[in-house]
Amino acid sequence: VSTQSTGFFPLYNSNPKLSRSQTNMVSVLNQPEIRQALHQISQIGNYSGWFLLGYTDDNTVALKARGNGGVEELVPLLKDNEIQYFVVRILDQDKDGLETGRTVFVTWTGSQVSVLKKGKKATHAATVADFCSPHHATLTATNRNNINTHTIKDRSGPLSGSHIID
């Protein structure tokens, strides 16, 4: 995966006189590649695929990897000492029983991420999720052993009570 930047684009700039750290703004590198990955996995008739975003510094996220398989292909890339984001496409059925795809955004928080780091990055998740739209659901994952197609399908359903994979 190439992580070369095709531009540095801040996602929001509430006050141009403040530095990035003062606004806790997150920036996304290689946005065209990420948009292309989202478009590719979200195609009608496509029932798999994923891409992974990770931090290059405290306030910058970039595309780290992508694949055409299921979420199980992605799990080994999740790091216990990092907060990462991924979008995955899974097979679902509509109310008439017809096959359809569901695109899900997931925030991964590794077990070794400090409380301070979790707090600093808490505001980033919604911004990154907005950038990775459209998707059908947003989940939070903290236990890699439970990240699989079945759990994502269950937790991302419209009637799911919990949107946390723990």
Side-chain angles (χ1 to χ4, degrees), residues 23-116:
T23 61
N24 200 25
M25 179 176 63
V26 63
S27 298
V28 177
L29 296 178
N30 50 11
Q31 289 187 19
E33 292 174 55
I34 296 167
R35 291 273 186 220
Q36 195 272 335
L38 180 62
H39 178 74
Q40 181 181 353
I41 68 171
S42 299
Q43 294 292 312
I44 294 174
N46 185 21
Y47 306 122
S48 66
W50 55 269
F51 62 90
L52 176 68
L53 306 174
Y55 285 90
T56 59
D57 65 32
D58 284 344
N59 292 312
T60 306
V61 174
L63 182 67
K64 295 295 186 174
R66 61 193 289 188
N68 295 319
V71 69
E72 290 81 5
E73 181 180 85
L74 157 75
V75 171
L77 302 175
L78 299 175
K79 298 180 180 178
D80 288 330
N81 62 344
E82 290 187 20
I83 295 174
Q84 296 169 292
Y85 309 97
F86 64 90
V87 176
V88 63
R89 182 82 165 177
I90 59 171
L91 176 65
D92 195 13
Q93 291 184 345
D94 66 14
K95 63 183 177 180
D96 298 322
L98 300 173
E99 289 186 343
T100 185
R102 185 185 304 170
T103 306
V104 181
F105 176 86
V106 182
T107 299
W108 161 254
T109 303
S111 61
Q112 297 173 12
V113 175
S114 71
V115 173
L116 183 62

Side-chain angles (χ1 to χ4, degrees), residues 127-139:
T127 305
V128 176
D130 285 346
F131 178 77
C132 294
S133 290
H135 48 269
H136 297 96
T138 301
L139 303 178

